[in-house]
Structures are given as C-alpha cells and as structure tokens.
Amino acid sequence: MKNIVILISGGGSNMAAIVRTAQRERWADTLGARVVAVISNRPGAAGLGLARELGVVATETLDHKAFDSREAFDAALAERIDQHAPALVVLAGFMRILTPGFVAHYAGRLVNIHPSLLPAFPGLHTHQRAIDAGCRFAGVTVHQVTAELDHGPILGQAVVPVLPGDTADTLAARTITQEHILYPRAVAELLLKL
C-alpha cells in the first residue's frame, strides 16, 4: 500500500479534497494508496478536525514554535512523517519553507500546490501580484518540491481568467475551486508512477 501523509497549517480544504477524492475513487483498490496521516505545524488547525471527520485516524500537531531552529523542526517533522512509511508527502496549505535537507530526504515524493501559474509569481500574495501585473489569466500549479521555493517540476496546472474588478479575494475564491479539482488528479497521476 502506498501511504500518503498530508501536511497542513490551516483549514485543510485541499487536504479534504484529496481525502474525499481518494474515498470516492477508492484509491486503496484502484491505486493501492491511502491517506494515512495529516500533520499540522499549528495547534488547533481546523483541518485536523476535518481530517478526523473524514476518517483519517492519525492526525497530529507538531508546533514549529517549540523548536529553536528550522532544521530542528524539520528533523522532528521528518521523524513523525517517516513513522507512517510514506510513498508520498503532500503539502496542502503547509505554510513553512522547508530546509534543503528535508526536501532531499523526500526527493521525488514531496509535492505542493501553489496559487499561480508557475514560474510566474512564486512566493506569497500571488493573486494581488497577478492583478497588479495586469494578467488576463491566473491559476494554480501542482509541482514537485525542490530546494528552490516554488520552482520544482510542474505536475499540472489549471487556468482561471482574471475578471474586470477582481480583487485578490475574488480571484482567490475562483482559483481555489480549481485547486480542489487539480490537486487530487495530480496526486493520483503521480501515484501511478510510484
């Protein structure tokens, strides 16, 4: 069985989209894969409760603020993740920049979703940056994680129009619906290759 560990920091809507798709499409039977754990770096993250409601048994918190360095947190996080023998580690709104050592440990098995059409607008505030740049289109990208922020190999993209009068919030609301479609599909396609 290919175990999937999902990392979150907040509400977990992309995590939920993946878990629901895995259940609906019976990934355990069709792909030999299952979501075995959801881990958050923020105590009280709403996504942990949502994961439990969706039947994910292992939900954990590892508070990054309890560690003296990014390296110490990433080492502890990797230890927690490895207890689940993951074939794939999925970042779903996990708002931490990971150390090169962590990324190397999961090379080829670590994926992320980013709310822009990479390579455009890596980093934060992507929707406002797209509007400010006068873009006619924006979107989302699923990519493998490398040591360079938001620059790994692209696994899939979805495009949304930037409409007249759009704000960062309205564009984000339209974009997230595409995230919930694209991310589970990209994860499933990657699982077929593992």
Side-chain angles (χ1 to χ4, degrees):
M1 189 65 66
K2 299 170 189 171
N3 291 341
I4 303 165
V5 174
I6 301 177
L7 306 183
I8 65 170
S9 292
S13 69
N14 274 311
M15 172 276 301
I18 292 166
V19 171
R20 287 181 179 124
T21 301
Q23 293 169 344
R24 185 178 62 251
E25 296 179 358
R26 297 176 27 246
W27 284 6
D29 298 328
T30 60
L31 298 174
R34 62 187 176 175
V35 176
V36 295
V38 175
I39 303 171
S40 175
N41 66 308
R42 291 190 178 151
L48 292 172
L50 180 55
R52 286 189 290 273
E53 288 173 20
L54 292 170
V56 178
V57 176
T59 58
E60 307 173 44
T61 299
L62 186 65
D63 188 352
H64 65 274
K65 293 179 183 176
F67 294 86
D68 292 334
S69 69
R70 192 174 294 277
E71 290 77 13
F73 171 73
D74 281 6
L77 180 60
E79 187 176 303
R80 289 270 183 98
I81 293 168
D82 288 347
Q83 292 173 1
H84 301 285
L88 200 58
V89 179
V90 177
L91 307 179
F94 188 68
M95 301 305 289
R96 299 282 303 164
I97 295 175
L98 299 165
T99 59
F102 184 94
V103 172
H105 183 69
Y106 297 107
R109 302 182 294 145
L110 185 61
V111 296
N112 186 36
I113 192 161
H114 183 74
S116 79
L117 294 172
L118 293 174
F121 310 119
L124 299 174
H125 311 295
T126 58
H127 305 299
Q128 189 60 54
R129 289 164 59 202
I131 292 167
D132 292 347
C135 294
R136 293 180 56 211
F137 297 95
V140 299
T141 303
V142 176
H143 64 95
Q144 289 185 318
V145 177
T146 61
E148 187 175 0
L149 180 68
D150 296 331
H151 279 84
I154 293 172
L155 302 173
Q157 293 183 308
V159 177
V160 297
V162 177
L163 302 176
D166 256 341
T167 65
D169 289 340
T170 60
L171 182 55
R174 218 170 31 262
T175 301
I176 200 159
T177 62
Q178 292 304 309
E179 290 183 24
H180 296 163
I181 296 166
L182 176 66
Y183 211 1
R185 186 174 68 229
V187 167
E189 288 172 2
L190 185 57
L191 286 166
L192 287 171
K193 298 175 186 175
L194 296 179

